[in-house]
Amino acid sequence: GDSVTQMEGPVTLSEEAFLTINCTYTATGYPSLFWYVQYPGEGLQLLLKATKADDKGSNKGFEATYRKETTSFHLEKGSVQVSDSAVYFCALRWSSGGFKTIFGAGTRLFVKA
Amino acid sequence: ETGVTQSPTHLIKTRGQQVTLRCSSQSGHNTVSWYQQALGQGPQFIFQYYREEENGRGNFPPRFSGLQFPNYSSELNVNALELDDSALYLCASSTDSKETQYFGPGTRLLVL
């Protein structure tokens, strides 16, 4: 069945370090792909999305490219801040046939000053 | 613009009881989805409502049911609560079934 796999956390980085959080998916067809962020005690916030192969989503310095050939949607940021500390979720969503959204297990990021 | 709101924020129930959680969609949104997020895990899709009808469902038993009202607000009902139902329940709304979802802050349910 369809699934999303994220790298296990926690990921601990120093401020201004480069961030990569890996995400791969298994799906029949071409779903839309998303990254959500969840700050402590809060709900999910959409960070970025891509709706078709080779699309690049970007927001707040984060970016991810929809790679059909490697079925991946890795999240990157060139210089992290302490305020980026949160849990990041990769997800896929179908635009038909039940509109199911499948989330990865999440990756916790800690950024040290 | 008012975002997605959920009530209550926290709830404690005992096994076998029934619970109703509520969600108010973001203004202009006609689609609502519900998710269960167990501690330390990603959200699991429960079901989606579009214009008052269920149009998608995940792998949850029938004791999880829902409603969407003409103003597009929604309820999630869970009967015969089990200990494993303890989780954060998230509601998300969108302008259409295909569009980006916006999440509420969630209701944290504890079943004792």
Side-chain angles (χ1 to χ4, degrees), chain B residues 6-67:
Chain B
Q6 293 185 241
S7 63
T9 55
H10 295 82
L11 200 53
I12 300 174
K13 292 285 189 179
T14 57
R15 197 170 49 182
Q17 285 189 309
Q18 179 266 342
V19 68
T20 297
L21 310 182
R22 295 178 174 82
C23 171
S24 291
S25 304
Q26 188 163 317
S27 177
H29 288 188
N30 58 17
T31 302
V32 174
S33 300
W34 284 92
Y35 295 82
Q36 180 194 67
Q37 186 180 14
L39 197 62
Q41 298 182 24
Q44 300 291 314
F45 176 70
I46 302 175
F47 45 57
Q48 176 173 288
Y49 279 81
Y50 171 67
R51 295 188 173 182
E52 302 179 58
E53 292 201 6
E54 184 181 300
N55 72 342
R57 189 175 183 94
N59 297 324
F60 280 80
R63 60 189 184 83
F64 285 79
S65 63
L67 282 174

Side-chain angles (χ1 to χ4, degrees), chain A residues 14-96:
Chain A
S14 298
E15 211 166 20
E16 299 184 4
F18 184 85
L19 168 71
T20 299
I21 300 178
N22 291 336
C23 171
T24 58
Y25 68 91
T26 302
T28 50
Y30 306 107
S32 296
L33 300 177
F34 301 83
W35 276 100
Y36 286 89
V37 58
Q38 188 172 36
Y39 297 101
E42 298 184 16
L44 296 173
Q45 297 178 27
L46 176 66
L47 183 58
L48 53 85
K49 69 175 183 179
T51 58
K52 60 183 188 297
D54 299 326
D55 267 4
K56 177 185 282 189
S58 61
N59 185 28
K60 299 180 181 180
F62 292 90
E63 59 181 36
T65 302
Y66 190 161
R67 301 285 189 200
K68 186 179 67 173
E69 62 277 10
T70 55
T71 61
S72 65
F73 193 55
H74 304 322
L75 182 68
E76 296 182 336
K77 186 176 185 183
S79 176
V80 294
Q81 306 301 312
V82 172
S83 58
D84 294 327
S85 298
V87 181
Y88 292 82
F89 292 94
C90 182
L92 65 83
R93 177 169 170 84
W94 297 106
S95 59
S96 64

